[in-house]
Each structure stands twice: as C-alpha cells, then as structure tokens.
Amino acid sequence: MKPELPPPDSARWTIAIFTARESLETLNACLHAVGAACREDAIIDVVVNGNPGLARRLADEARLPVRCGLPGRACLRIWEIGLGDKANAWNQYIAKIWPGSKITYFIDGYVQPFPDALQRIDTELSAHPTALAATGVPSVGRSAALLREELLSHGGLHGNLFALPRATIEALRHIDFQLPLGLYRTDSTIGAALAYSLHPESCAWDPRGNIHVCADASWSNPTGSIFRWRDLHAQLLRVLRQQRGTLENHAVRHLFSELRLPVGALPRSVNELVDNWRREKRSEFLHLLLVNPIAVALALRDLESKRAAVANPQRSPEAVSAEPLPGSAAPRQ
C-alpha cells in the first residue's frame, strides 16, 4: 500500500532538496542523512533542475521510501524542472510545489545534515515564534569556522541548510516574491529580503532578529579533490560564479538598502538586475572593474551566457514517477 500525502495542516515538516549536477551517489547520501534526521511523517521533495536523467535514475532507485533510507511513513516526491537554474527552481517550488507544512527545510543536494540538525532548528523556531527563518551553521571545510563566526556574530542565512515556517512562505506567496532568473546568489538574496522583514521599503535591516542562527545545527559534505577533473571543474565554475555573485550582491544592496524598493521590484532576470545597477551606479561598477578587471570581465561574460537561457523558463515542474512514486502529486496550477 502506498503512503498517502498528509493533509497540509497535519504535516509538520517538509524537506526540500535542490539538486542539479550532483551524482546519484551524492544525492543518495543526502537522502540517507535526511532519513536519519527527519520525522516519521515528513514530506521529502527532491527538486531536480536541468538534469532529467538524474531525476529519472533517482526515481528508478527510489520506488519505495525505504530504498533511500527514509522512515516508512515519509512521503518522497521527485520533481523535474527543465531549466537548469536554481533561482527558477526555488520560485517554482514556493509557488507550485510547497505542500503547506508547518516548517520547510531547504537543503542543497550535496550536503548531509547531522541526525539532530533538523530537530534543533525546529526547536529554535518553536522558541522564537516571530522568527521569519532559522539557519544552521557550517562545521566542515576550510572556511567553515569563519562563516560560522560571521553568522553567529552578525546573523544571516546559510544556503546549505535553513528553514522557513509556514507564515513566512505564505507571506512570500502573498507578495509574489520571485528570485531573478539566472541569479547565483539565491540564498543571500533570500536572506536580505528576510533581514528586511520582506519589506525593505518600510522595515529596518535586522538579520539577527528575523533569522535565528542555530549554532548546534550543522551538516557534513563530501570534500572534492583537485586531482579529479569533475571536482576541479566544479571548483573552477564556483570561483567564476562567485565573481558574478559579487556584482549581484552590489545590485541587490542597491535595490533594497539604497533605493528601499519592495522585494517585488526584483527584476525578472539577473541580467536586468545587474544591468540596472551598472547603469545607475556606474562609478561603483567602474571601481570594481579597476580593482579586479579580469574577475569582473569573466563575471560579465558568465552573465551574458545566462541571458538567452533564462528567456523562456519551463512554466511548471513535472512529478517524475517510476510506477508512480509514493506521495507524488501534480503541482499547483
């Protein structure tokens, strides 16, 4: 007998796992870790963007939740989104897939949350009912200690593992919050909107008040090797996109902190976002160009490569099912 999807009001946890280029082995490791950390009645949504082969291979392996190490009553749903773009996948998830649970965790497909991480975040949100979000902190990697200290001291959101309560997602849907397509700094943009209480036009910047940092909630992730081409290529892409992310951060800061525009004023694409900033803050852009001309030139080239790709995103996610998957359901129209 297939487990049925719990009614939205009765589902306390949904875990949304976003993946694109991960190997099936890496994604399965994430699912096994989530299985060890999640509640018996959780809904696990795997959102695969731009990689239909991965979505269908996972569906073939995971016809029953137990195959992925998930609790017997957990509902596993696998979604395929044609455009390889996390910003679009996030937009689609909030608007069309989110099942309405009390807490929704957002996890990158290459990380493995520790067994107590999700419950610790749940406890943090329960203790601070007015919080708009809660985030875990990194514990593995060369920059983990620095990032951890920065989050604990200044607040913020870490994209590898964070959670939003139902009221926050309902508010995002109400104001039709949409990340610009092609955006690399998805998590920092979401964090900035939350730090302004979703209303930069009228609210003060308060990341520590709006986003609670859970110092005891963390995760592990596989370490790459420069001697493996796949890992080296991924690292090179990451460095390139971090340069682009610098331009994106300047553009978002200009929109929210200087112009004090509502979050609904975010442009439809990252190209429009950065183009507007370059035009309105020309001296700031030229300063960045003079300081690091090669990095900025590479970032602009990377941005240009996204322009055509995000012009016509797939409108609706598709539920991938092998026979079909337990709990799979059609997206909201």
Side-chain angles (χ1 to χ4, degrees), residues 206-219:
D206 186 15
R208 296 188 67 183
N210 292 333
I211 305 168
H212 282 264
V213 179
C214 188
D216 298 322
S218 192
W219 59 88

Side-chain angles (χ1 to χ4, degrees), residues 47-117:
V47 184
V48 185
N49 66 91
N51 194 340
L54 176 61
R56 299 193 181 280
R57 287 196 303 274
L58 180 63
D60 289 340
E61 281 205 1
R63 297 182 183 183
L64 295 173
V66 70
R67 292 291 299 278
C68 291
L70 302 177
R73 291 177 56 211
C75 287
L76 175 64
R77 308 191 299 174
I78 300 173
W79 304 90
E80 177 194 342
I81 297 178
L83 180 64
D85 180 56
K86 186 177 180 181
N88 177 61
W90 202 85
N91 292 342
Q92 297 271 12
Y93 187 82
I94 294 297
K96 297 181 178 180
I97 299 176
W98 177 62
S101 53
K102 293 180 175 65
I103 299 174
T104 301
Y105 298 87
F106 295 86
I107 299 176
D108 285 331
Y110 57 86
V111 306
Q112 300 167 29
F114 293 154
D116 60 350

Side-chain angles (χ1 to χ4, degrees), residues 114 116-118 120-121 135-138 148 161 214-219:
F114 293 154
D116 60 350
L118 305 188
R120 288 184 180 277
I121 290 176
T135 186
V137 295
R148 180 187 182 91
L161 172 60
C214 188
D216 298 322
S218 192
W219 59 88

Side-chain angles (χ1 to χ4, degrees), residues 180-244:
L181 301 181
L183 189 73
Y184 175 69
R185 294 293 190 190
T186 55
D187 307 315
S188 61
T189 302
I190 295 166
L194 293 169
Y196 276 117
S197 303
L198 303 181
H199 292 284
E201 73 278 14
S202 58
C203 295
W205 174 264
D206 186 15
R208 296 188 67 183
N210 292 333
I211 305 168
H212 282 264
V213 179
C214 188
D216 298 322
S218 192
W219 59 88
S220 64
N221 52 272
T223 56
S225 169
I226 61 171
F227 300 106
R228 286 199 300 263
W229 167 244
R230 178 187 178 93
D231 295 338
L232 178 60
H233 183 250
Q235 180 61 27
L236 291 173
L237 282 177
R238 190 174 299 113
V239 170
L240 174 61
R241 286 170 181 160
Q242 285 172 348
Q243 299 301 329
R244 171 156 65 90

Side-chain angles (χ1 to χ4, degrees), residues 127-275:
H128 301 89
T130 61
L132 298 181
T135 186
V137 295
S139 57
V140 177
R142 286 173 296 178
S143 60
L146 182 62
L147 286 171
R148 180 187 182 91
E149 181 59 32
E150 184 176 342
L151 285 167
L152 291 172
S153 300
H154 305 292
L157 195 75
H158 199 293
N160 282 170
L161 172 60
F162 68 93
L164 303 180
R166 178 189 293 161
T168 298
I169 296 184
E170 288 176 341
L172 289 168
R173 290 164 61 92
H174 178 72
I175 62 178
D176 194 27
F177 177 78
Q178 297 276 312
L179 292 170
L181 301 181
L183 189 73
Y184 175 69
R185 294 293 190 190
T186 55
D187 307 315
S188 61
T189 302
I190 295 166
L194 293 169
Y196 276 117
S197 303
L198 303 181
H199 292 284
E201 73 278 14
S202 58
C203 295
W205 174 264
D206 186 15
R208 296 188 67 183
N210 292 333
I211 305 168
H212 282 264
V213 179
C214 188
D216 298 322
S218 192
W219 59 88
S220 64
N221 52 272
T223 56
S225 169
I226 61 171
F227 300 106
R228 286 199 300 263
W229 167 244
R230 178 187 178 93
D231 295 338
L232 178 60
H233 183 250
Q235 180 61 27
L236 291 173
L237 282 177
R238 190 174 299 113
V239 170
L240 174 61
R241 286 170 181 160
Q242 285 172 348
Q243 299 301 329
R244 171 156 65 90
T246 299
L247 305 185
E248 296 174 359
N249 283 345
H250 277 270
V252 171
R253 186 182 305 117
H254 174 59
L255 200 74
F256 288 172
S257 300
E258 297 174 4
L259 299 180
R260 304 305 296 267
L261 294 178
V263 296
L266 282 167
R268 182 175 180 275
S269 74
V270 66
N271 302 91
E272 186 180 352
L273 173 72
V274 174
D275 287 348

